[in-house]
Amino acid sequence: MFDINNFSSFALGEWVAPQGANRDVHSAITGKVLGAVGGTLDVEAMRDYAKTHGGPALRALNFHDRARMIKALALYLRDHRRALYELSFETGATIADSKIDIDGGIGTMLVYASKGRREMPEGHIFPDGDLEVLSRDGSFLGQHICTPLRGVAVQINAFNFPVWGMLEKLAPSLLAGMPSLIKPATSTGFLAQAVVRLMLQSGLLPDGAVQLIMGRTGPLLDVLDCQDVVGFTGSAATALSLRSTPNILKNSVRFTAEQDSLNGSLLGPDVMPGSPEFDLFVTEVHREMITKAGQKCTAIRRIMVPKPHLLAVQTALTERLAVTQIGHPALKETQMGPLSSTRQRQDVLAQSRLISDSADLVFGSFEVPDVTGADAQKGAFISPMLFSCADPDVAQSVHSIEAFGPVATLMPFADIDHGIELLNRGGGSLVASVITHDPDVARKVVLGSGALHGRLYFNDRTSQAESTGHGSPLPHMVHGGPGRAGGSEELGGIRGVKHFMQRTAIQGSPDMLSAVLGTWVKGAAQHTAESHPFTRDFHTLRIGETINTAPREITIDDIEHFAKFTGDNFYAHMDEDAAKANPFFSGRVAHGYLLLSFAAGLFVDPNPGPVLANTGLNALSFQKPVEAGDSINVQLTVKRKTRRTDEYGEVRWHAIVRNQEAEQVAEYELLTMNSYSEI
Ligand code: NAP
């Protein structure tokens, strides 16, 4: 289905064959040359094209349109994933590896598509946080909002996850409304190119939304400005050189770096050999060492074990590593394929030699291993290597050298404080895991180590069946880490979308903010409903439309009946003396839930109509007690409307319950699902 020897870029709306290619790309399995990249592309024109075509087209869509587009793209890719697996073998990936890379990338898109529709408005402006009241009478308000940046998102990706690495950046940037220039790593870029081909072939992307640079970015970073974003994944050395580009510094171009990381995993001092946590620890470490042949930014490089159990862990790990099947990635029995290139193998061996300065090799070899179904010399095969470092307090290299392959080092610790100290020696990491059944250990690690890690992963017998694994960044959770890990964040749900948007504080009157946000805000104009809003279909309801109900008196019989009926005989409703003794009340008061129920009784229209269901209630506050003899009325205002399906949408209503003195006694947001037509 794909031509593996085609290394064209996609620029200005067309595929462009490499001119003057000078960097060969090899199969990870056979070492055979697949093709070459290089030459020059007019990257400045590509940026202009993205800005004049892709940007406006994406920004014309609202968040929900873009979320729907991302979902459709993900489903299209999912339909073609088997062809992608085939191509992925040539990068050294087994099917299990491809499921992380390809399915993981598609899954990330689906999560963003879903979050975009659930957590972002059906509009063009994203409110960031709550409304701030900036004046005494509520006539001057503030709201943080985000709008898409007007430049391009430049993605420079690492070789190890050519698909996930691209899609985890593309999903949030597309959702934000920014076009992308994607530059995959040269050695595995052919797989990223296949995914881009599919996305373009789907016809779902607007012209200019995605362009692809196979090869280097040329002078691209020299022409970016404050409306562009660079998202880099790769080594710390490349990150440093790219983020120091004078133009990037001069124009304060956003630069996120996801770089190498000396991630650690710690066995809790509470865990004994033979316990479920002990086996879980060995399983997680072994999996992290061999998945993607250890070419994972999140892989466990440092294994911290209570000193008395060091040998037991070493023995258990060694037993697993000894039976790990290394071979051709397409073979069913293969658990670990080759590295992505023989150059990478040289690099991993060189880094491992540096680690061996301060640690003993206790499993594996620097020699090329025996493998099944492939020529281990020609392909980029390597043996897993387990080191053990007797004195991790003194050793340097085990805490600073990343061998980007199936390489990890065991190290003993004396007590939990010592373990935490060792975890932190990585100088900032993407993830640290702790396998413990003791919540006190977890709490100590969070306090002692949280500031040094982007993610802390705790696992034990309770969560092991459903846990997602030390090494899996999830779209819902932040991916990134301080210091050595790059000091940046990606993903983390809608947080990740905001990296491609500008946050602006807007201030003004309630009417002004209401019009900007497309949401009724308290204090903005209200329009008296022409007819009961519950009798009107979704589309005819207007934002700001309001009904004020008739009053209803609350009697002592109501309170007693409600108490008996619901079983809520709380003393504040039933015992005059006890209620009086309470600092909040001067006597028996009505139940808050009685007020809510009576409020509904006041505003609902009883007949079948467009309101299909009451789906929730947010931000409820009871603000003043209601006593027998008081009467209440409700003001219900259409706050926001969001289409959900082809048949119905969600209406958010602002409800205020007042007493006979026009004092607010309760306030909340009510959610209903309303059909598009009267039924
Ligand atoms: P790399 O050598 O730093 O390359 C990363 C990317 O930068 C590649 O696309 C590379 O392109 C590009 N690049 C290099 N020099 C460039 C330049 N002068 N101008 C523009 N682009 C340039 O890293 P890698 O070997 O691909 O990846 C391995 C490293 O990535 C490991 O250290 C790993 O820990 C880290 N990593 C981190 C994460 C994370 O999320 N934190 C994820 C994956 C990997 P070429 O391929 O064309 O050279």
Side-chain angles (χ1 to χ4, degrees):
M1 176 171 187
F2 302 109
D3 177 3
I4 195 171
N5 306 114
N6 179 337
F7 281 74
S8 297
S9 297
F10 188 74
L12 316 179
E14 50 191 50
W15 288 98
V16 188
Q19 307 286 320
N22 50 15
R23 293 174 72 198
D24 285 346
V25 177
H26 302 260
S27 159
I29 310 169
T30 61
K32 222 175 76 188
V33 174
L34 300 173
V37 300
T40 45
L41 277 170
D42 189 346
V43 287
E44 207 166 339
M46 288 174 79
R47 172 174 176 261
D48 287 346
Y49 193 81
K51 284 179 64 163
T52 51
H53 291 69
L58 284 170
R59 291 196 299 273
L61 304 173
N62 66 36
F63 293 115
H64 287 205
D65 296 331
R66 295 195 288 262
R68 278 187 281 267
M69 177 184 78
I70 293 166
K71 180 172 179 186
L73 279 170
L75 296 178
Y76 190 82
L77 292 177
R78 198 161 72 181
D79 285 345
H80 293 83
R81 69 186 189 281
R82 302 217 174 272
L84 294 172
Y85 293 164
E86 289 293 319
L87 205 56
S88 184
F89 290 140
E90 296 297 335
T91 71
T94 62
I95 287 287
D97 295 337
S98 286
K99 283 190 188 289
I100 299 173
D101 187 28
I102 296 166
D103 296 30
I106 294 169
T108 300
M109 290 182 100
L110 289 171
V111 169
Y112 268 98
S114 156
K115 281 191 163 289
R117 292 198 62 203
R118 275 188 291 115
E119 298 174 31
M120 301 184 92
E122 191 178 16
H124 297 86
I125 294 172
F126 178 71
D128 184 18
D130 293 332
L131 209 63
E132 299 286 344
V133 179
L134 304 175
S135 60
R136 232 177 286 164
D137 66 355
S139 63
F140 190 64
L141 305 174
Q143 170 75 54
H144 291 100
I145 55 109
C146 296
T147 50
L149 292 174
R150 303 178 78 84
V152 297
V154 177
Q155 295 186 9
I156 303 178
N157 294 323
F159 72 83
N160 57 337
F161 285 114
V163 182
W164 177 84
M166 170 172 66
L167 299 183
E168 61 104 19
K169 290 188 176 76
L170 193 59
S173 59
L174 283 177
L175 188 52
M178 264 193 109
S180 291
L181 297 188
I182 300 169
K183 184 256 173 290
T186 293
S187 60
T188 56
F190 56 89
L191 181 55
Q193 188 215 48
V195 173
V196 170
R197 264 185 203 284
L198 284 171
M199 289 195 292
L200 294 169
Q201 186 182 300
S202 74
L204 293 159
L205 283 168
D207 182 27
V210 168
Q211 296 179 77
L212 178 74
I213 301 171
M214 296 290 280
R216 283 286 163 90
T217 49
L220 183 58
L221 302 197
D222 299 326
V223 298
L224 302 181
D225 65 30
C226 70
Q227 291 300 299
D228 301 307
V229 179
V230 181
F232 170 84
T233 304
S235 63
T238 313
L240 179 63
S241 101
L242 298 185
R243 79 190 330 170
S244 323
T245 306
N247 181 62
I248 296 282
L249 298 172
K250 184 173 136 231
N251 282 324
S252 308
V253 178
R254 285 189 201 180
F255 191 103
T256 41
E258 295 297 340
Q259 56 196 46
D260 41 295
S261 175
L262 271 297
N263 312 294
S265 186
L266 184 143
L267 182 67
D270 56 299
V271 179
M272 293 297 143
S275 66
E277 282 74 22
F278 188 88
D279 292 343
L280 176 60
F281 183 71
V282 173
T283 301
E284 291 252 9
V285 173
H286 174 249
R287 188 176 55 214
E288 288 302 314
M289 283 184 75
I290 64 163
T291 303
K292 281 292 286 185
Q295 300 165 111
K296 273 170 68 186
C297 53
T298 49
I300 296 168
R301 307 285 174 212
R302 300 176 306 132
I303 312 162
M304 286 99 192
V305 179
K307 198 168 180 183
H309 306 318
L310 191 72
L311 204 57
V313 170
Q314 182 182 315
T315 307
L317 258 180
T318 301
E319 279 168 8
R320 300 244 185 144
L321 289 169
V323 295
T324 300
Q325 296 277 334
I326 309 173
H328 193 295
L331 294 176
K332 245 201 206 127
E333 64 269 28
T334 297
Q335 291 172 280
M336 187 176 104
L339 296 172
S340 70
S341 67
T342 48
R343 224 187 94 208
Q344 193 57 27
R345 176 166 64 192
Q346 282 166 18
D347 193 52
V348 173
L349 291 173
Q351 302 299 326
S352 302
R353 286 213 165 80
L354 295 175
I355 290 173
S356 71
D357 286 350
S358 51
D360 299 324
L361 185 64
V362 294
F363 179 86
S365 152
F366 285 85
E367 302 301 318
V368 172
D370 289 337
V371 307
T372 317
D375 181 334
Q377 294 290 346
K378 289 191 178 146
F381 293 93
I382 193 168
S383 157
M385 282 186 260
L386 181 66
F387 289 92
S388 183
C389 173
D391 193 352
D393 296 322
V394 174
Q396 295 292 330
S397 61
V398 294
H399 301 295
S400 61
I401 303 287
E402 183 201 41
F404 202 58
V407 183
T409 305
L410 283 161
M411 46 193 81
F413 66 84
D415 55 26
I416 188 63
D417 292 335
H418 184 210
I420 289 170
E421 213 178 286
L422 293 179
L423 266 186
N424 296 350
R425 286 278 301 274
S429 86
L430 295 170
V431 52
S433 56
V434 182
I435 308 299
T436 176
H437 196 45
D438 180 352
D440 200 40
V441 169
R443 197 170 171 277
K444 278 190 177 135
V445 172
V446 170
L447 286 171
S449 209
L452 270 291
H453 307 281
R455 179 160 62 89
L456 285 176
Y457 169 93
F458 298 100
N459 205 357
D460 67 358
R461 66 193 76 180
T462 312
S463 51
Q464 64 175 343
E466 292 288 315
S467 60
T468 46
H470 161 108
S472 304
L474 299 175
H476 321 70
M477 310 299 291
V478 159
H479 174 59
R484 168 89 194 225
S488 306
E489 282 183 7
E490 285 177 344
L491 302 177
I494 299 306
R495 284 176 190 85
V497 182
K498 293 191 213 164
H499 296 148
F500 304 97
M501 304 180 90
Q502 177 60 43
R503 183 183 300 115
T504 309
I506 57 166
Q507 296 167 281
S509 69
D511 282 336
M512 213 62 90
L513 265 61
S514 188
V516 168
L517 298 169
T519 297
W520 182 82
V521 301
K522 206 170 167 185
Q526 288 160 296
H527 326 283
T528 307
E530 293 138 18
S531 54
H532 196 295
F534 276 35
T535 64
R536 305 228 314 285
D537 76 55
F538 179 89
H539 293 298
T540 62
L541 284 174
R542 285 184 304 150
I543 302 295
E545 195 166 337
T546 300
I547 50 163
N548 288 291
T549 71
R552 172 171 182 170
E553 191 184 333
I554 313 284
T555 65
I556 198 72
D557 285 349
D558 289 332
I559 296 173
E560 290 193 348
H561 178 71
F562 193 84
K564 200 163 158 215
F565 179 54
T566 62
D568 179 351
N569 291 302
F570 189 60
Y571 71 87
H573 316 305
M574 303 303 287
D575 181 334
E576 185 70 14
D577 293 339
K580 269 195 177 127
N582 180 312
F584 291 107
F585 310 124
S586 54
R588 291 172 69 179
V589 293
H591 306 65
Y593 301 117
L594 177 151
L595 300 180
L596 285 185
S597 305
F598 279 21
L602 288 169
F603 63 67
V604 296
D605 183 79
N607 300 315
V611 177
L612 304 176
N614 172 354
T615 54
L617 190 153
N618 291 327
L620 166 66
S621 61
F622 295 116
Q623 296 154 337
K624 210 171 164 44
V626 172
E627 295 172 3
D630 288 343
S631 66
I632 59 163
N633 63 80
V634 190
Q635 184 182 71
L636 195 69
T637 304
V638 179
K639 185 176 173 187
R640 193 198 304 168
K641 300 194 302 177
T642 309
R643 286 179 303 145
R644 288 290 176 213
T645 69
D646 290 343
E647 287 157 12
Y648 55 84
E650 180 191 83
V651 181
R652 287 177 184 241
W653 311 79
H654 188 88
I656 297 177
V657 183
R658 294 192 175 89
N659 64 17
Q660 66 282 358
E661 309 293 339
E663 296 165 318
Q664 273 194 210
V665 298
E667 186 170 13
Y668 52 99
E669 184 184 74
L670 176 76
L671 279 67
T672 59
M673 282 299 171
N674 288 35
S675 93
Y676 296 156
S677 56
E678 289 181 37
I679 53 172

